[in-house]
Amino acid sequence: MSKTDPVRLAVRKTYKLYIGGAFPRSESGRSYPVTSSKGDFLANAAKASRKDARDAVSAARKAFPGWSGATPYNRGQILYRVAEMLEGRRAQFVAEVTAAGAG
């Protein structure tokens, strides 16, 4: 490694909630550790409050008419696009799982 190469610190990421197409932090600001079956730390996850759960249910109910009103073809296209985006980040997911020791 040369002097110009930056050194990356291992930062334990805290994953956010997904509500209404956004990634808000939990209203409580709390999180909890997620561990493997062997007890090894994997990540921190947001701990949703009752308000967060109400907001998620409200957002899902609001989105339902649009989703159920879409044609099966359109819903399939959306799900396929989500799969493509996940596939595009495959290397990142593999690296994170490998770094967590799950091989």
XYZ file of all heavy atoms in Angstrom:
779
model
N 0.857 -1.189 0.000
C 0.000 0.000 0.000
C 0.893 1.239 0.000
O 1.790 1.361 0.806
C -0.882 -0.018 1.257
C -1.865 1.104 1.276
S -2.922 1.193 2.747
C -3.704 -0.367 2.796
N 0.658 2.169 -0.895
C 1.451 3.385 -0.955
C 0.881 4.427 -0.003
O -0.196 4.264 0.560
C 1.475 3.926 -2.382
O 0.213 4.428 -2.730
N 1.598 5.520 0.137
C 1.183 6.581 1.061
C -0.102 7.276 0.614
O -0.789 7.869 1.414
C 2.298 7.617 1.210
C 3.498 7.087 1.934
C 4.537 8.168 2.099
C 5.752 7.638 2.823
N 6.762 8.649 3.017
N -0.417 7.192 -0.664
C -1.607 7.885 -1.174
C -2.877 7.038 -1.067
O -3.962 7.547 -1.249
C -1.416 8.308 -2.644
O -1.164 7.144 -3.419
C -0.280 9.303 -2.771
N -2.738 5.727 -0.794
C -3.910 4.865 -0.663
C -4.604 5.138 0.678
O -3.976 5.067 1.730
C -3.528 3.388 -0.719
C -3.039 2.966 -2.094
O -3.403 3.644 -3.066
O -2.300 1.972 -2.171
N -5.886 5.452 0.627
C -6.589 5.697 1.884
C -6.818 4.394 2.644
O -6.993 3.328 2.045
C -7.917 6.299 1.439
C -8.125 5.773 0.062
C -6.752 5.606 -0.526
N -6.776 4.478 3.944
C -7.041 3.325 4.789
C -8.505 3.381 5.200
O -8.980 4.401 5.698
C -6.133 3.340 6.043
C -6.469 2.174 6.949
C -4.681 3.307 5.625
N -9.216 2.299 4.957
C -10.639 2.250 5.299
C -10.806 1.623 6.672
O -10.245 0.585 6.963
C -11.415 1.456 4.261
C -11.403 2.156 2.908
C -12.365 1.508 1.996
N -13.697 1.613 2.570
C -14.757 2.034 1.909
N -14.641 2.374 0.655
N -15.924 2.088 2.466
N -11.584 2.281 7.490
C -11.891 1.745 8.803
C -13.128 0.869 8.705
O -14.046 1.169 7.954
C -12.174 2.891 9.786
C -11.026 3.859 10.033
C -11.487 4.997 10.913
C -9.868 3.126 10.681
N -13.139 -0.182 9.472
C -14.325 -1.042 9.509
C -15.376 -0.353 10.374
O -15.159 -0.113 11.563
C -13.972 -2.401 10.088
N -16.466 0.020 9.763
C -17.538 0.698 10.479
C -18.722 -0.242 10.547
O -19.147 -0.787 9.535
C -17.950 2.018 9.763
C -19.112 2.679 10.468
C -16.765 2.950 9.676
N -19.244 -0.420 11.739
C -20.405 -1.286 11.906
C -21.641 -0.513 11.488
O -22.049 0.426 12.142
C -20.512 -1.767 13.337
C -19.376 -2.696 13.684
C -19.561 -3.292 15.036
N -18.591 -4.357 15.209
C -18.537 -5.139 16.259
N -19.404 -4.977 17.235
N -17.642 -6.084 16.346
N -22.200 -0.924 10.383
C -23.322 -0.228 9.785
C -24.610 -0.499 10.564
O -24.847 -1.597 11.026
C -23.486 -0.692 8.342
C -24.504 0.060 7.567
C -24.460 -0.331 6.111
C -25.370 0.574 5.339
N -25.228 0.446 3.923
N -25.431 0.527 10.681
C -26.766 0.363 11.246
C -27.755 0.540 10.115
O -27.825 1.583 9.485
C -27.045 1.403 12.358
O -26.103 1.211 13.412
C -28.452 1.252 12.909
N -28.500 -0.511 9.830
C -29.469 -0.481 8.748
C -30.712 0.271 9.191
O -31.111 0.212 10.348
C -29.806 -1.900 8.292
C -28.624 -2.541 7.603
C -27.692 -3.275 8.314
C -28.424 -2.343 6.257
C -26.595 -3.826 7.683
C -27.328 -2.890 5.616
C -26.415 -3.632 6.343
O -25.335 -4.163 5.716
N -31.303 1.002 8.261
C -32.482 1.808 8.560
C -33.746 1.053 8.189
O -33.696 -0.026 7.612
C -32.410 3.119 7.770
C -31.230 3.988 8.150
C -31.189 5.230 7.301
C -29.951 6.046 7.586
N -29.855 7.186 6.687
N -34.867 1.640 8.532
C -36.165 1.094 8.177
C -36.458 1.439 6.718
O -35.785 2.294 6.130
C -37.246 1.691 9.078
C -37.036 1.515 10.577
C -38.067 2.325 11.345
C -37.118 0.057 10.960
N -37.444 0.801 6.136
C -37.899 1.150 4.792
C -39.400 1.382 4.885
O -40.175 0.451 5.081
C -37.599 0.042 3.783
C -38.025 0.392 2.384
C -37.309 1.316 1.644
C -39.151 -0.163 1.817
C -37.695 1.663 0.355
C -39.552 0.165 0.531
C -38.818 1.082 -0.189
O -39.201 1.424 -1.456
N -39.792 2.653 4.802
C -41.203 3.025 4.953
C -41.567 4.021 3.863
O -40.953 5.082 3.750
C -41.476 3.653 6.336
C -41.124 2.676 7.456
C -42.932 4.092 6.457
C -41.192 3.271 8.854
N -42.580 3.689 3.081
C -43.088 4.612 2.070
C -42.071 5.038 1.041
O -42.077 6.179 0.586
N -41.172 4.139 0.656
C -40.180 4.458 -0.364
C -38.980 5.230 0.146
O -38.153 5.680 -0.628
N -38.863 5.382 1.466
C -37.741 6.115 2.061
C -37.063 5.233 3.115
O -37.608 4.221 3.544
C -38.232 7.408 2.688
N -35.896 5.630 3.527
C -35.139 4.907 4.547
C -34.958 5.791 5.787
O -33.864 6.296 6.045
C -33.772 4.494 4.003
C -33.849 3.468 2.913
C -33.865 3.851 1.585
C -33.915 2.126 3.221
C -33.942 2.906 0.578
C -33.988 1.171 2.218
C -33.998 1.563 0.897
N -36.015 5.953 6.577
C -35.878 6.798 7.766
C -35.195 6.046 8.909
O -35.210 4.812 8.966
C -37.336 7.095 8.133
C -38.066 5.869 7.697
C -37.359 5.439 6.424
N -34.611 6.802 9.794
C -34.102 6.211 11.033
C -35.320 5.912 11.891
O -36.370 6.504 11.723
C -33.183 7.187 11.764
C -31.933 7.507 10.982
C -30.955 8.319 11.829
N -29.836 8.781 11.045
C -28.807 8.023 10.691
N -28.785 6.764 11.039
N -27.824 8.512 9.981
N -35.162 5.010 12.831
C -36.302 4.710 13.686
C -36.636 5.938 14.537
O -35.755 6.713 14.901
C -36.023 3.509 14.585
O -35.096 3.833 15.579
N -37.902 6.109 14.813
C -38.361 7.269 15.583
C -37.722 7.270 16.960
O -37.388 8.311 17.503
C -39.893 7.202 15.669
C -40.547 8.414 16.267
C -40.994 8.176 17.699
O -41.103 7.026 18.132
O -41.214 9.179 18.379
N -37.487 6.093 17.512
C -36.887 5.989 18.844
C -35.380 6.216 18.808
O -34.780 6.523 19.832
C -37.158 4.596 19.431
O -36.461 3.601 18.695
N -34.781 6.029 17.629
C -33.336 6.167 17.516
C -32.594 4.940 18.035
O -31.366 4.928 18.086
N -33.323 3.910 18.408
C -32.692 2.715 18.966
C -32.357 1.709 17.873
O -32.940 1.720 16.797
C -33.635 2.050 19.970
C -33.881 2.895 21.178
C -34.782 2.185 22.138
N -35.018 3.005 23.310
C -35.792 2.658 24.286
N -36.443 1.505 24.245
N -35.949 3.447 25.331
N -31.412 0.851 18.191
C -31.049 -0.242 17.294
C -30.687 -1.443 18.149
O -30.553 -1.334 19.377
C -29.874 0.159 16.396
O -28.725 0.391 17.169
N -30.532 -2.577 17.500
C -30.131 -3.776 18.219
C -29.150 -4.560 17.352
O -29.191 -4.485 16.133
C -31.341 -4.649 18.595
C -32.115 -5.179 17.418
C -31.855 -6.444 16.903
C -33.099 -4.421 16.805
C -32.561 -6.932 15.814
C -33.810 -4.898 15.718
C -33.535 -6.152 15.233
O -34.229 -6.633 14.142
N -28.257 -5.318 17.996
C -27.285 -6.088 17.209
C -27.932 -7.341 16.634
O -28.747 -7.991 17.279
C -26.205 -6.446 18.232
C -26.903 -6.418 19.549
C -27.992 -5.389 19.431
N -27.551 -7.661 15.413
C -27.971 -8.893 14.761
C -26.758 -9.799 14.775
O -25.671 -9.397 14.364
C -28.442 -8.628 13.314
C -28.822 -9.929 12.626
C -29.594 -7.643 13.302
N -26.937 -11.020 15.261
C -25.820 -11.951 15.370
C -26.090 -13.215 14.575
O -27.235 -13.540 14.272
C -25.556 -12.323 16.844
O -26.744 -12.885 17.398
C -25.137 -11.104 17.656
N -25.022 -13.911 14.268
C -25.142 -15.189 13.565
C -25.600 -16.258 14.548
O -25.703 -16.008 15.757
C -23.790 -15.586 12.960
O -22.886 -15.937 14.001
N -25.836 -17.449 14.048
C -26.249 -18.539 14.930
C -25.156 -18.902 15.928
O -25.430 -19.474 16.970
C -26.627 -19.773 14.102
O -25.517 -20.201 13.341
N -23.915 -18.504 15.612
C -22.793 -18.756 16.523
C -22.565 -17.601 17.488
O -21.664 -17.643 18.306
C -21.512 -18.997 15.722
C -21.578 -20.244 14.865
C -20.316 -20.411 14.062
C -20.422 -21.632 13.165
N -19.219 -21.802 12.345
N -23.375 -16.547 17.357
C -23.248 -15.401 18.242
C -22.319 -14.310 17.748
O -22.074 -13.341 18.456
N -21.807 -14.440 16.517
C -20.914 -13.426 15.954
C -21.734 -12.232 15.470
O -22.799 -12.400 14.879
C -20.120 -13.994 14.772
C -19.222 -15.149 15.191
O -18.723 -15.127 16.332
O -19.032 -16.072 14.370
N -21.230 -11.043 15.707
C -21.907 -9.818 15.283
C -21.987 -9.765 13.765
O -21.008 -10.016 13.067
C -21.153 -8.589 15.809
C -21.724 -7.296 15.320
C -22.793 -6.710 15.964
C -21.206 -6.665 14.197
C -23.337 -5.517 15.517
C -21.732 -5.471 13.740
C -22.803 -4.898 14.402
N -23.173 -9.437 13.235
C -23.346 -9.268 11.786
C -23.609 -7.818 11.424
O -23.014 -7.282 10.508
C -24.498 -10.132 11.281
C -24.327 -11.642 11.423
C -25.586 -12.365 10.972
C -23.124 -12.115 10.632
N -24.541 -7.165 12.125
C -24.908 -5.788 11.813
C -25.777 -5.235 12.930
O -26.165 -5.963 13.840
C -25.677 -5.721 10.495
N -26.053 -3.956 12.841
C -27.028 -3.334 13.724
C -28.298 -3.102 12.906
O -28.223 -2.728 11.749
C -26.514 -1.988 14.252
C -25.350 -2.147 15.201
O -25.406 -2.933 16.126
N -24.264 -1.443 14.948
N -29.429 -3.330 13.517
C -30.709 -3.113 12.839
C -31.519 -2.098 13.626
O -31.466 -2.076 14.856
C -31.480 -4.423 12.725
N -32.248 -1.260 12.906
C -33.091 -0.261 13.566
C -34.205 -0.958 14.329
O -34.782 -1.932 13.863
C -33.682 0.683 12.526
N -34.480 -0.469 15.517
C -35.565 -1.010 16.331
C -36.768 -0.094 16.169
O -36.790 1.020 16.680
C -35.141 -1.100 17.796
C -36.121 -1.836 18.664
C -35.534 -2.076 20.031
C -36.457 -2.955 20.849
N -35.844 -3.251 22.147
N -37.747 -0.566 15.429
C -38.920 0.252 15.127
C -39.776 0.467 16.376
O -39.927 -0.426 17.197
C -39.750 -0.414 14.038
N -40.316 1.657 16.463
C -41.242 1.972 17.554
C -42.668 1.696 17.071
O -42.893 1.358 15.909
C -41.102 3.450 17.935
O -41.550 4.265 16.858
N -43.632 1.866 17.948
C -45.034 1.708 17.539
C -45.399 2.716 16.458
O -46.130 2.406 15.525
C -45.955 1.877 18.739
C -45.916 0.711 19.681
C -46.875 0.916 20.820
N -46.807 -0.221 21.717
C -47.515 -0.334 22.803
N -48.358 0.625 23.150
N -47.409 -1.397 23.552
N -44.862 3.930 16.577
C -45.136 4.953 15.564
C -44.563 4.527 14.221
O -45.202 4.691 13.178
C -44.573 6.304 15.981
C -44.860 7.409 14.962
C -44.207 8.716 15.369
C -44.477 9.829 14.390
N -44.120 9.537 13.009
N -43.349 3.974 14.217
C -42.747 3.483 12.978
C -43.620 2.404 12.352
O -43.829 2.392 11.133
C -41.344 2.922 13.239
C -40.345 3.975 13.673
O -40.422 5.108 13.174
O -39.483 3.653 14.508
N -44.135 1.496 13.169
C -44.998 0.424 12.659
C -46.294 1.005 12.091
O -46.741 0.586 11.017
C -45.301 -0.581 13.765
N -46.873 1.976 12.777
C -48.091 2.620 12.265
C -47.810 3.312 10.942
O -48.599 3.237 9.995
C -48.644 3.624 13.281
C -49.420 3.006 14.409
C -50.193 4.043 15.212
N -49.396 5.166 15.667
C -48.785 5.251 16.857
N -48.889 4.260 17.719
N -48.085 6.303 17.173
N -46.670 4.012 10.860
C -46.296 4.691 9.616
C -46.112 3.687 8.476
O -46.518 3.949 7.335
C -45.005 5.493 9.803
C -45.174 6.703 10.709
O -46.333 7.075 11.014
O -44.147 7.268 11.128
N -45.513 2.530 8.776
C -45.290 1.507 7.750
C -46.618 0.927 7.270
O -46.828 0.751 6.061
C -44.389 0.399 8.300
N -47.527 0.665 8.197
C -48.838 0.127 7.815
C -49.598 1.156 6.990
O -50.212 0.836 5.967
C -49.641 -0.304 9.061
C -51.094 -0.593 8.716
C -48.989 -1.516 9.715
N -49.529 2.405 7.405
C -50.210 3.476 6.675
C -49.650 3.605 5.257
O -50.408 3.736 4.290
C -50.047 4.795 7.433
O -50.597 5.857 6.720
N -48.327 3.547 5.122
C -47.697 3.651 3.797
C -48.071 2.450 2.925
O -48.332 2.602 1.728
C -46.180 3.749 3.942
N -48.128 1.261 3.525
C -48.489 0.064 2.755
C -49.941 0.147 2.289
O -50.246 -0.192 1.140
C -48.274 -1.185 3.612
N -50.816 0.597 3.157
C -52.225 0.736 2.759
C -52.387 1.776 1.657
O -53.200 1.613 0.752
C -53.077 1.100 3.971
C -53.295 -0.074 4.897
C -54.198 0.270 6.042
N -54.454 -0.917 6.848
C -54.701 -0.892 8.126
N -54.761 0.249 8.791
N -54.928 -2.022 8.772
N -51.607 2.840 1.737
C -51.680 3.895 0.723
C -51.158 3.389 -0.632
O -51.688 3.746 -1.681
C -50.853 5.097 1.189
C -50.938 6.296 0.295
C -50.145 7.457 0.882
C -50.172 8.648 -0.028
N -49.350 9.757 0.484
N -50.150 2.517 -0.601
C -49.555 2.009 -1.837
C -50.352 0.857 -2.438
O -50.229 0.586 -3.639
C -48.125 1.538 -1.567
N -51.158 0.189 -1.643
C -51.850 -1.007 -2.106
C -52.723 -0.796 -3.340
O -52.650 -1.600 -4.279
C -52.679 -1.630 -0.983
C -53.362 -2.898 -1.387
C -52.638 -4.069 -1.530
C -54.716 -2.921 -1.653
C -53.247 -5.245 -1.919
C -55.343 -4.086 -2.052
C -54.614 -5.258 -2.176
N -53.546 0.260 -3.408
C -54.378 0.416 -4.611
C -53.552 0.523 -5.901
O -53.928 -0.055 -6.926
C -55.168 1.704 -4.360
C -55.174 1.864 -2.883
C -53.874 1.290 -2.415
N -52.457 1.231 -5.850
C -51.606 1.363 -7.037
C -50.974 0.045 -7.431
O -50.902 -0.298 -8.614
N -50.517 -0.723 -6.434
C -49.885 -2.008 -6.713
C -50.909 -3.015 -7.223
O -50.689 -3.685 -8.231
C -49.197 -2.530 -5.450
C -48.547 -3.861 -5.635
C -49.011 -5.068 -5.193
C -47.328 -4.140 -6.322
N -48.157 -6.068 -5.551
C -47.105 -5.537 -6.246
C -46.399 -3.353 -6.995
C -45.997 -6.144 -6.814
C -45.298 -3.969 -7.557
C -45.098 -5.348 -7.465
N -52.038 -3.111 -6.548
C -53.035 -4.105 -6.960
C -53.734 -3.693 -8.255
O -54.241 -4.549 -8.974
C -54.068 -4.329 -5.858
O -54.807 -3.153 -5.622
N -53.723 -2.402 -8.555
C -54.330 -1.924 -9.795
C -53.437 -2.078 -11.003
O -53.885 -1.975 -12.141
N -52.154 -2.331 -10.759
C -51.215 -2.520 -11.869
C -51.459 -3.892 -12.498
O -51.922 -4.821 -11.841
C -49.776 -2.434 -11.367
N -51.127 -3.999 -13.751
C -51.293 -5.286 -14.431
C -50.247 -6.268 -13.908
O -49.179 -5.850 -13.425
C -51.122 -5.132 -15.952
O -49.767 -4.761 -16.216
C -52.084 -4.107 -16.524
N -50.524 -7.550 -14.008
C -49.511 -8.530 -13.604
C -48.185 -8.329 -14.344
O -47.116 -8.514 -13.763
C -50.155 -9.873 -13.965
C -51.619 -9.608 -13.872
C -51.781 -8.190 -14.362
N -48.265 -7.923 -15.594
C -47.052 -7.667 -16.376
C -46.231 -6.544 -15.741
O -45.017 -6.674 -15.568
C -47.417 -7.315 -17.817
C -46.213 -7.009 -18.673
C -45.423 -8.032 -19.181
C -45.867 -5.692 -18.970
C -44.317 -7.760 -19.961
C -44.756 -5.407 -19.751
C -43.985 -6.443 -20.243
O -42.869 -6.170 -21.007
N -46.895 -5.444 -15.347
C -46.189 -4.321 -14.719
C -45.583 -4.723 -13.374
O -44.448 -4.349 -13.063
C -47.111 -3.123 -14.519
C -47.433 -2.415 -15.806
O -48.591 -2.331 -16.189
N -46.424 -1.913 -16.492
N -46.341 -5.467 -12.575
C -45.807 -5.926 -11.287
C -44.589 -6.816 -11.513
O -43.587 -6.718 -10.792
C -46.894 -6.656 -10.492
C -47.979 -5.726 -10.007
C -48.865 -6.360 -8.957
N -49.515 -7.581 -9.410
C -50.785 -7.672 -9.765
N -51.561 -6.601 -9.721
N -51.296 -8.824 -10.141
N -44.664 -7.673 -12.527
C -43.528 -8.531 -12.863
C -42.312 -7.725 -13.270
O -41.190 -8.045 -12.882
N -42.536 -6.664 -14.049
C -41.422 -5.793 -14.455
C -40.762 -5.138 -13.246
O -39.538 -5.028 -13.178
C -41.918 -4.703 -15.405
C -42.203 -5.188 -16.805
C -42.634 -4.024 -17.701
O -43.499 -3.233 -17.329
N -42.017 -3.935 -18.864
N -41.579 -4.685 -12.307
C -41.041 -4.043 -11.100
C -40.213 -5.033 -10.296
O -39.091 -4.729 -9.870
C -42.179 -3.441 -10.253
C -42.816 -2.266 -11.000
C -41.677 -3.017 -8.879
C -44.141 -1.799 -10.433
N -40.753 -6.228 -10.084
C -40.019 -7.241 -9.318
C -38.737 -7.658 -10.043
O -37.701 -7.879 -9.409
C -40.913 -8.452 -9.049
C -42.094 -8.176 -8.116
C -42.983 -9.404 -8.032
C -41.627 -7.743 -6.740
N -38.798 -7.739 -11.364
C -37.609 -8.075 -12.136
C -36.551 -6.982 -11.982
O -35.361 -7.275 -11.835
C -37.962 -8.274 -13.615
C -36.815 -8.796 -14.435
C -36.483 -10.145 -14.430
C -36.041 -7.922 -15.202
C -35.415 -10.620 -15.171
C -34.979 -8.385 -15.940
C -34.669 -9.741 -15.923
O -33.608 -10.203 -16.647
N -36.965 -5.736 -12.002
C -36.012 -4.614 -11.835
C -35.372 -4.645 -10.452
O -34.172 -4.400 -10.313
C -36.730 -3.279 -12.080
C -35.843 -2.083 -11.909
C -34.711 -2.051 -12.948
N -33.906 -0.880 -12.721
C -32.577 -0.897 -12.657
N -31.916 -2.006 -12.864
N -31.913 0.205 -12.423
N -36.160 -4.946 -9.437
C -35.601 -5.076 -8.079
C -34.544 -6.179 -8.064
O -33.449 -6.007 -7.502
C -36.713 -5.356 -7.048
C -36.128 -5.749 -5.702
C -37.621 -4.147 -6.893
N -34.850 -7.305 -8.701
C -33.895 -8.410 -8.776
C -32.620 -7.996 -9.506
O -31.509 -8.352 -9.099
C -34.529 -9.612 -9.457
N -32.764 -7.229 -10.580
C -31.590 -6.730 -11.316
C -30.723 -5.838 -10.432
O -29.496 -5.937 -10.453
C -32.022 -5.924 -12.544
C -32.440 -6.739 -13.730
C -32.778 -5.862 -14.927
O -33.271 -4.723 -14.743
O -32.547 -6.324 -16.048
N -31.361 -4.957 -9.670
C -30.597 -4.057 -8.801
C -29.866 -4.846 -7.715
O -28.712 -4.543 -7.392
C -31.515 -2.998 -8.192
C -32.032 -2.017 -9.233
S -32.960 -0.588 -8.650
C -33.927 -1.190 -7.329
N -30.517 -5.857 -7.153
C -29.860 -6.691 -6.151
C -28.698 -7.465 -6.779
O -27.628 -7.584 -6.176
C -30.859 -7.648 -5.510
C -31.899 -7.010 -4.605
C -32.941 -8.034 -4.181
C -31.253 -6.369 -3.390
N -28.910 -7.978 -7.979
C -27.855 -8.712 -8.677
C -26.656 -7.806 -8.956
O -25.508 -8.233 -8.856
C -28.390 -9.279 -9.994
C -27.383 -10.093 -10.779
C -27.013 -11.408 -10.116
O -27.834 -11.948 -9.367
O -25.888 -11.871 -10.355
N -26.916 -6.542 -9.256
C -25.844 -5.583 -9.498
C -24.993 -5.325 -8.266
O -23.850 -4.907 -8.370
N -25.545 -5.592 -7.091
C -24.802 -5.388 -5.842
C -24.365 -6.713 -5.234
O -24.003 -6.771 -4.067
C -25.676 -4.606 -4.863
C -25.962 -3.189 -5.361
C -26.858 -2.418 -4.447
N -26.245 -2.268 -3.140
C -26.866 -1.725 -2.095
N -28.080 -1.286 -2.210
N -26.259 -1.623 -0.923
N -24.391 -7.760 -6.043
C -24.045 -9.099 -5.551
C -22.675 -9.134 -4.879
O -22.512 -9.717 -3.805
C -24.096 -10.084 -6.693
C -23.657 -11.463 -6.311
C -23.623 -12.377 -7.501
N -24.325 -13.588 -7.130
C -24.586 -14.554 -7.950
N -24.257 -14.441 -9.212
N -25.194 -15.625 -7.542
N -21.681 -8.536 -5.514
C -20.320 -8.553 -4.969
C -20.284 -7.920 -3.577
O -19.603 -8.417 -2.677
C -19.356 -7.843 -5.906
N -21.027 -6.834 -3.408
C -21.087 -6.171 -2.102
C -21.707 -7.099 -1.059
O -21.191 -7.238 0.045
C -21.904 -4.888 -2.189
C -22.101 -4.217 -0.847
C -23.166 -3.135 -0.887
O -23.664 -2.769 -1.941
N -23.526 -2.631 0.273
N -22.816 -7.752 -1.406
C -23.474 -8.655 -0.464
C -22.575 -9.837 -0.110
O -22.478 -10.218 1.052
C -24.804 -9.150 -1.026
C -25.822 -8.061 -1.256
C -26.626 -8.074 -2.376
C -25.962 -7.018 -0.357
C -27.570 -7.081 -2.595
C -26.896 -6.019 -0.565
C -27.696 -6.048 -1.681
N -21.914 -10.402 -1.103
C -21.010 -11.524 -0.853
C -19.878 -11.085 0.069
O -19.528 -11.781 1.014
C -20.465 -12.098 -2.179
C -19.326 -13.082 -1.936
C -21.577 -12.764 -2.959
N -19.315 -9.893 -0.193
C -18.227 -9.387 0.648
C -18.685 -9.174 2.081
O -17.963 -9.508 3.028
C -17.684 -8.082 0.064
N -19.880 -8.636 2.270
C -20.381 -8.397 3.622
C -20.649 -9.703 4.362
O -20.314 -9.837 5.534
C -21.644 -7.536 3.588
C -21.357 -6.096 3.227
C -22.595 -5.215 3.214
O -23.626 -5.638 3.763
O -22.512 -4.113 2.665
N -21.221 -10.673 3.672
C -21.496 -11.965 4.308
C -20.186 -12.680 4.623
O -20.019 -13.255 5.695
C -22.412 -12.838 3.412
C -22.499 -14.263 3.924
C -23.797 -12.221 3.340
N -19.235 -12.621 3.688
C -17.933 -13.251 3.919
C -17.206 -12.583 5.062
O -16.621 -13.255 5.915
C -17.082 -13.192 2.636
O -17.811 -13.814 1.573
C -15.756 -13.885 2.810
N -17.249 -11.251 5.126
C -16.586 -10.523 6.205
C -17.205 -10.853 7.560
O -16.523 -10.839 8.594
C -16.647 -9.025 5.950
N -18.488 -11.199 7.550
C -19.163 -11.549 8.797
C -18.848 -12.981 9.213
O -19.257 -13.418 10.284
C -20.666 -11.357 8.641
N -18.115 -13.706 8.358
C -17.707 -15.060 8.707
C -18.729 -16.118 8.357
O -18.606 -17.250 8.784
N -19.721 -15.772 7.573
C -20.744 -16.748 7.226
C -20.355 -17.572 5.999
O -21.025 -18.528 5.686
C -22.086 -16.050 6.986
N -19.274 -17.162 5.309
C -18.757 -17.909 4.166
C -19.792 -18.145 3.171
O -19.924 -18.808 2.289
